[in-house]
Amino acid sequence: QWHLVESGGGLVQEGGSLRLSCSASGFTLDDYSIAWIRQAPGKGREGVLCVAKSDKVTYSIESLKGRFTISRDAAANTVYLQMNNLTPEDTAVYFCQAEKSGLCPVHSPHAWGQGTLVTVSS
């Protein structure tokens, strides 16, 4: 059995920071590419960024470059999304997904999490 669990969301004021976690069970995240996607209220899902097995990072939303950073912790089998200078437009449910190919973008996720809600107040 394998699964992903997102955590770290919450309520933060504009300009604040949050660190989201994506933890895996049943497989090793370091062997996969990992994508973060989000779904804002009233909108569809959109890609945020993706880190390949090679650790190359691709930003799906260019305006997030410099504010959002992804990192890996192999010992914890976890990837982190550090989000700085948050704005109300960042309010969304954030999901992570893992791809066996190790490449970005993710086309066939091996596992999905249930998401974690980020709410940014103005």
Side-chain angles (χ1 to χ4, degrees):
Q1 185 70 26
W2 59 86
H3 65 274
L4 293 173
V5 177
E6 300 95 338
S7 62
L11 176 64
V12 63
Q13 287 199 344
E14 185 174 9
S17 299
L18 284 174
R19 189 186 193 188
L20 306 185
S21 298
C22 175
S23 298
S25 297
F27 65 102
T28 301
L29 274 183
D30 269 358
D31 296 330
Y32 291 71
S33 52
I34 308 297
W36 285 93
I37 63 174
R38 67 185 184 183
Q39 185 169 17
K43 296 184 178 181
R45 293 176 180 176
E46 64 176 349
V48 178
L49 51 71
C50 181
V51 58
K53 183 179 179 180
S54 66
D55 287 333
K56 181 180 179 181
V57 178
T58 301
Y59 287 83
S60 299
I61 306 174
E62 290 299 318
S63 63
L64 298 181
K65 188 178 297 184
R67 295 201 299 117
F68 285 20
T69 304
I70 193 167
S71 61
R72 295 177 180 266
D73 184 341
N77 206 19
T78 298
V79 297
Y80 301 102
L81 180 64
Q82 180 67 44
M83 307 186 298
N84 298 324
N85 298 316
L86 287 163
T87 73
E89 292 180 320
D90 296 318
T91 295
V93 178
Y94 285 74
F95 303 87
C96 62
Q97 52 189 353
E99 167 61 52
K100 279 187 174 181
S101 73
L103 303 175
C104 292
V106 168
H107 292 308
S108 302
H110 174 72
W112 286 74
Q114 294 301 306
T116 185
L117 176 63
V118 172
T119 302
V120 184
S121 63
S122 60

